[in-house]
Amino acid sequence: MDSSTSVPGEAALAVSPKMQEKLARLGIHNAMDLVLHLPIRYEDETHVFPIDHAPQGRAVQIEGVITHNEVVLKPRRQLVCRIEDRSGSLCMRLLNFYGSQVKAYAVGKRVRLLGEIRHGFFGAEMVHPKCRIVQENEPLAAAMTPVYAVTAGLPQKTLAKLTHQVLNHLQQPGLLDETLPEKIIRQYRLPEFRSSILALHHPPPETPVDLLQSRMYPAWQRIKFDELLAQQLSMRLHYRQRRSRTAPQLGQKHKHALHDRFLGQLDFKLTAAQEKVAAEIGRDLASQHPMQRLLQGDVGSGKTIVAAIAALQAIENGYQTAMMAPTEILAEQHFQKLSLWFAPLGIQVAWLSGGQKKKDRQPVLAAIESGAAMLAVGTHALFQEQVGFYRLGLAIIDEQHRFGVHQRLALRMKGMQQESGLVPHQLMMSATPIPRTLSMSYFADLDVSIIDELPPGRSPVVTKLVADNRRREVVARILQACRQGKQVYWVCPLIEESETLQLQTAMETYETLCKIFADLNVGLVHGRLPAQEKAGMMTRFKQGEIQLLVATTVIEVGVDVPNASLMVIENAERMGLSQLHQLRGRVGRGTGASVCILLYQQPLSAIARKRLKIIFEHTDGFEIARQDLHLRGPGEFLGARQSGMPMLRFADLEQDGALLTAAQSVADEMLNVYPESAQRHIQRWLGGKTEYLRV
Ligand code: ADP
Ligand code: MG
């Protein structure tokens, strides 16, 4: 690459290979990375407070003379020094210290301490403050001291010095140049990029401490805006690229032939929300560009039928639909339901799963290849190499967040291999409601439809928290429910460390419950069961033959048995919020009142207590998701580490909603009017990282 096309800041840093390696551990590979390695906080050493009048509850700097120095042995070995100024005195306690420090902090030395003052048994004290020996009248820092994230062998000072050099001396041409068009800077009253970066690395003395720490300072706002904008730009660009391909145009020209017959045979009417999203999807399918739509709807909101309507539209136009689900149980259930729905319409549905025997599989593959089966339902086995579609027009992915990157990629490749060169439409479905800002941010490359209403006649599930030692009452309750003709799920604890252990626990629970409920029919499903047995068990439960179904978390997604109205979840304190919400969504599907009992083991950790409180107090999936996001942060919430999505480093989706909205509209304007600026902006922020997988 010659220098005229190289991107400012992408040049390697002129440092030793050893240093390069250390910097790489912090994700710093070039000058721009270093510039954007902004302080995580600041220390205020511009001030010295009198000991007795220093503010509480935050780090402060004090200065005094050491009047006492002693290594104390009880209650544990520590170095204790008393420091005095004109206003009073305090104790410095070092629990880990070197012999050299005992000598250095000798009586009579003058020191400056930076730390929070607390009040202990011996009065005011600072535990492990930053401590520096100073001369009388030593000048104070003129500005706030930045504190960077560091790594072993790379101390604050070295990193600060390197950053200073890059910013002030070795400045590469264009390193801090503006990427935003003048007009946008003026319109949104943004500070310049250059001055913002300089101010954050070396805050001017008059900078308000609070705004700097809380990241509300204008320079921070600019950086956060730029980061959000880069994300929006790259996602929108990605969206446009995919959108520029050609898809089969699945128009509604034979309008309503199959569609009407299908809806006519149902014993319920679509909700307004279902009608709305079905229409949005219908319009997309009729376009000549591939749909990339995410259908969100809380557990039980009726997404399957919307998917079926979309499939019919493809089929009416002579194109196949593939529907993929993350577990065999769920895929099997979709297969059964859709076969039932589509049989009267004369549409053959194929069923493909990983566990299928070769000889069962051959005819299925043949039906898919010849187009005899216009709908294929299955697990990710659907997108393996041996499956050749006749004419794939639409791919539906249920519970899309449960699929890994590889599986989604396989699906995408399958779509690209069509002989016609046409790219199939994609409909992704998710029952994990995604809070608005998160969706605007991380799903900016998708169109989103939301089902925001449940079918009528559902009664909310009553949630009860019951400590483990009150199991007996739970047993009594189950007996009572079953005698009234109701059905019950008993969900075994999730044991993440070991699948074998989880299986064992499920078996034991099953045996115990069989003994306790000797006159009930008890069943067991778990992930290791052969697909056929799993399906058989679910069918027997659905038909009411089995009254109590012991299950591992395999039933978490999608399983739909309306007569089941009581659920017991063991060790609920170990499960995540979305998992609990999904599990609980298995009941409350019929018209009778439903109950979900969360058994928990004491003592509860603080986080488990919070989770249980949230699930107990809320039934609205969006609210639960919002609180979950708050507890865990976006990375954990989205499982993004798996999907390879770059996470936001500076912007906070809860705090910076307004910036996100601005970034969203600026992104579209830039792509339309200032494409070169957009490119440079993406390069600065994402560099080579724009090639991440988003499938
Ligand atoms: P989810 O959105 O969780 O995938 P499902 O598609 O499994 O929900 O639907 C849950 C249940 O609600 C199913 O039994 C389905 O037949 C039923 N259902 C869907 N739409 C309606 C409706 N408009 N009125 C009544 N019941 C409905
Ligand atoms: Mg579903």
Side-chain angles (χ1 to χ4, degrees):
M1 208 188 262
D2 72 52
S3 64
S4 65
T5 59
S6 86
V7 177
E10 282 214 324
L13 287 157
V15 292
S16 70
K18 223 176 180 171
M19 178 60 92
Q20 264 177 29
E21 195 189 301
K22 287 179 195 164
L23 288 169
R25 266 188 262 145
L26 296 171
I28 301 170
H29 305 282
N30 56 44
M32 199 65 225
D33 289 342
L34 186 66
V35 165
L36 291 177
H37 190 72
L38 291 167
I40 42 175
R41 60 190 171 84
Y42 298 87
E43 283 171 356
D44 188 358
E45 293 171 309
T46 61
H47 246 79
V48 166
F49 288 94
I51 293 175
D52 273 7
H53 310 292
Q56 304 280 316
R58 67 172 171 100
V60 289
Q61 178 166 256
I62 60 109
E63 178 179 325
V65 175
I66 299 180
T67 58
H68 183 83
N69 165 318
E70 184 184 3
V71 174
V72 179
L73 296 176
K74 280 181 186 167
R76 58 174 285 191
R77 205 174 115 82
Q78 53 186 292
L79 172 60
V80 177
C81 297
R82 180 149 291 278
I83 288 127
E84 257 181 54
D85 71 2
R86 260 185 233 145
S87 76
S89 74
L90 60 66
C91 232
M92 166 170 79
R93 294 205 288 134
L94 301 180
L95 301 173
N96 298 305
F97 59 94
Y98 299 107
S100 60
Q101 283 174 307
V102 183
K103 281 205 193 107
Y105 302 148
V107 171
K109 292 276 188 197
R110 174 173 289 273
V111 286
R112 276 191 194 148
L113 305 188
L114 181 82
E116 197 174 319
I117 300 180
R118 284 177 210 194
H119 291 271
F121 283 117
F122 311 105
E125 61 177 30
M126 276 190 189
V127 180
H128 276 277
K130 181 170 163 188
C131 176
R132 213 155 53 90
I133 295 174
V134 293
Q135 304 302 318
E136 212 169 340
N137 298 324
E138 183 145 323
L140 285 164
M144 305 273 276
T145 316
V147 180
Y148 297 97
V150 289
T151 177
L154 186 55
Q156 289 292 338
K157 264 198 189 140
T158 315
L159 195 59
K161 203 167 127 202
L162 194 60
T163 308
H164 187 76
Q165 280 174 355
V166 167
L167 285 177
N168 298 291
H169 305 298
L170 312 173
Q171 207 176 94
Q172 299 169 31
L175 182 65
L176 300 182
D177 279 4
E178 195 49 73
T179 48
L180 301 190
E182 213 18 71
K183 173 189 168 264
I184 284 171
I185 293 197
R186 256 185 287 120
Q187 185 182 345
Y188 289 88
R189 300 213 180 92
L190 297 166
E192 278 173 38
F193 180 71
R194 174 191 304 275
S195 60
S196 300
I197 287 287
L198 294 176
L200 293 178
H201 283 294
H202 306 293
E206 68 279 9
T207 314
V209 184
D210 301 349
L211 292 186
L212 199 57
Q213 299 285 28
S214 67
R215 302 198 166 181
M216 296 306 279
Y217 186 55
W220 272 125
Q221 297 280 311
R222 167 66 205 255
I223 298 305
K224 294 198 273 191
F225 176 80
D226 275 21
E227 179 182 44
L228 289 166
L229 177 62
Q231 187 194 41
Q232 291 292 313
L233 284 171
S234 86
M235 291 253 190
R236 295 309 293 172
L237 209 57
H238 197 235
Y239 176 86
R240 289 180 183 208
Q241 276 161 4
R242 284 190 296 174
R243 186 94 186 154
S244 68
R245 306 211 178 92
T246 312
Q249 237 175 314
L250 310 174
Q252 292 161 308
K253 46 185 184 281
H254 323 278
K255 214 172 174 173
H256 298 327
L258 280 176
H259 181 267
D260 283 357
R261 275 171 62 202
F262 172 59
L263 291 185
Q265 79 192 21
L266 292 175
D267 50 13
F268 53 77
K269 266 183 54 193
L270 294 187
T271 61
Q274 283 171 318
E275 300 241 12
K276 184 193 72 184
V277 299
E280 285 165 358
I281 294 166
R283 273 197 297 278
D284 277 5
L285 292 176
S287 135
Q288 59 179 337
H289 300 295
M291 167 170 79
Q292 315 161 53
R293 193 169 278 278
L294 176 66
L295 173 59
Q296 280 186 23
D298 206 345
V299 181
S301 60
K303 294 181 290 296
T304 318
I305 201 150
V306 175
I309 292 170
L312 285 178
Q313 191 168 327
I315 295 167
E316 262 181 335
N317 281 275
Y319 279 88
Q320 275 171 315
T321 296
M323 183 166 179
M324 172 162 92
T327 66
E328 296 235 344
I329 287 197
L330 183 54
E332 168 90 28
Q333 187 178 289
H334 281 327
F335 170 67
Q336 283 175 0
K337 186 164 240 172
L338 287 157
S339 304
L340 203 71
W341 279 342
F342 284 8
L345 306 173
I347 299 167
Q348 188 186 330
V349 183
W351 159 247
L352 203 72
S353 87
Q356 233 158 9
K357 292 206 187 71
K358 214 169 179 178
K359 74 171 187 346
D360 295 333
R361 196 174 246 248
Q362 277 321 320
V364 179
L365 290 175
I368 294 175
E369 201 155 339
S370 68
M374 288 302 275
L375 173 63
V377 180
T379 57
H380 59 273
L382 268 180
F383 295 101
Q384 267 146 22
E385 277 164 44
Q386 350 144 7
V387 187
F389 284 90
Y390 158 68
R391 276 166 103 192
L392 184 60
L394 168 64
I396 300 173
I397 302 134
D398 198 15
E399 307 293 344
Q400 63 94 26
H401 58 285
R402 305 272 306 225
F403 287 97
V405 173
H406 294 295
Q407 291 156 341
R408 282 184 279 171
L409 191 64
L411 160 68
R412 178 110 163 262
M413 296 315 284
K414 202 83 199 172
M416 310 285 256
Q417 286 161 5
Q418 306 264 1
E419 263 170 43
S420 60
L422 296 177
V423 177
H425 297 277
Q426 254 193 47
L427 176 64
M428 284 150 276
M429 306 202 285
S430 174
T432 302
I434 296 155
R436 201 181 70 93
T437 48
L438 192 65
S439 167
M440 268 170 75
S441 172
Y442 290 101
F443 294 100
D445 63 344
L446 295 175
D447 295 307
V448 179
S449 290
I450 298 177
I451 305 185
D452 53 5
E453 143 186 52
L454 291 180
R458 300 272 168 90
S459 47
V461 181
V462 176
T463 303
K464 295 188 189 285
L465 293 174
V466 179
D468 212 31
N469 52 17
R470 287 171 48 204
R471 266 167 189 265
R472 261 200 212 161
E473 296 163 41
V474 176
V475 166
R477 192 158 189 138
I478 290 178
L479 276 176
Q480 192 192 8
C482 290
R483 282 200 191 115
Q484 291 168 359
K486 294 175 185 159
Q487 286 172 285
V488 183
Y489 292 106
W490 185 289
V491 184
C492 294
L494 172 75
I495 300 171
E496 266 173 359
E497 310 85 66
S498 153
E499 206 190 332
T500 328
L501 207 59
Q502 175 162 2
L503 189 61
Q504 195 188 326
T505 317
M507 305 267 208
E508 281 168 15
T509 309
Y510 171 68
E511 277 162 29
T512 315
L513 292 177
C514 280
K515 277 185 208 136
I516 296 178
F517 301 107
D519 47 354
L520 294 183
N521 289 325
V522 185
L524 170 67
V525 284
H526 55 75
R528 287 286 185 81
L529 221 52
Q532 244 168 10
E533 282 179 46
K534 233 187 286 180
M537 190 59 77
M538 289 313 293
T539 310
R540 286 173 61 203
F541 187 56
K542 208 165 211 168
Q543 290 169 348
E545 254 176 70
I546 287 173
Q547 290 147 299
L548 173 62
L549 184 66
V550 181
T552 55
T553 48
V554 294
I555 61 151
E556 176 191 341
V557 282
V559 171
D560 182 33
V561 180
N563 192 47
S565 59
L566 177 58
M567 172 174 278
V568 180
I569 303 177
E570 280 204 76
N571 285 107
E573 80 282 358
R574 289 193 199 168
M575 294 185 191
L577 273 174
S578 82
Q579 194 168 33
L580 286 170
H581 179 64
Q582 290 267 338
L583 281 169
R584 184 173 59 181
R586 301 306 115 216
V587 289
R589 298 193 152 227
T591 40
S594 291
V595 176
C596 180
I597 298 175
L598 304 177
L599 282 176
Y600 63 89
Q601 205 126 42
Q602 283 164 316
L604 287 175
S605 68
I607 183 104
R609 186 178 296 275
K610 275 189 198 147
R611 280 199 303 253
L612 291 179
K613 184 170 186 298
I614 294 170
I615 201 80
F616 175 71
E617 286 176 355
H618 300 277
T619 50
D620 174 12
F622 272 95
E623 183 55 25
I624 291 170
R626 209 180 57 73
Q627 304 221 20
D628 195 16
L629 175 63
H630 182 73
L631 277 186
R632 294 195 293 162
E636 293 279 323
F637 183 89
L638 291 170
R641 267 178 260 290
Q642 282 171 28
S643 70
M645 235 187 280
M647 285 285 122
L648 295 167
R649 288 190 282 162
F650 305 113
D652 169 355
L653 293 175
E654 276 187 75
Q655 196 181 61
D656 301 318
L659 285 177
L660 176 59
T661 311
Q664 192 180 39
S665 59
V666 169
D668 277 324
E669 182 174 349
M670 273 176 76
L671 287 175
N672 293 335
V673 190
Y674 311 100
E676 278 149 32
S677 302
Q679 260 323 324
R680 271 194 314 180
H681 192 82
I682 292 177
Q683 273 294 347
R684 165 173 285 164
W685 278 89
L686 300 170
K689 284 168 267 182
T690 45
E691 287 303 306
Y692 60 89
L693 280 172
R694 255 319 243 140
V695 278

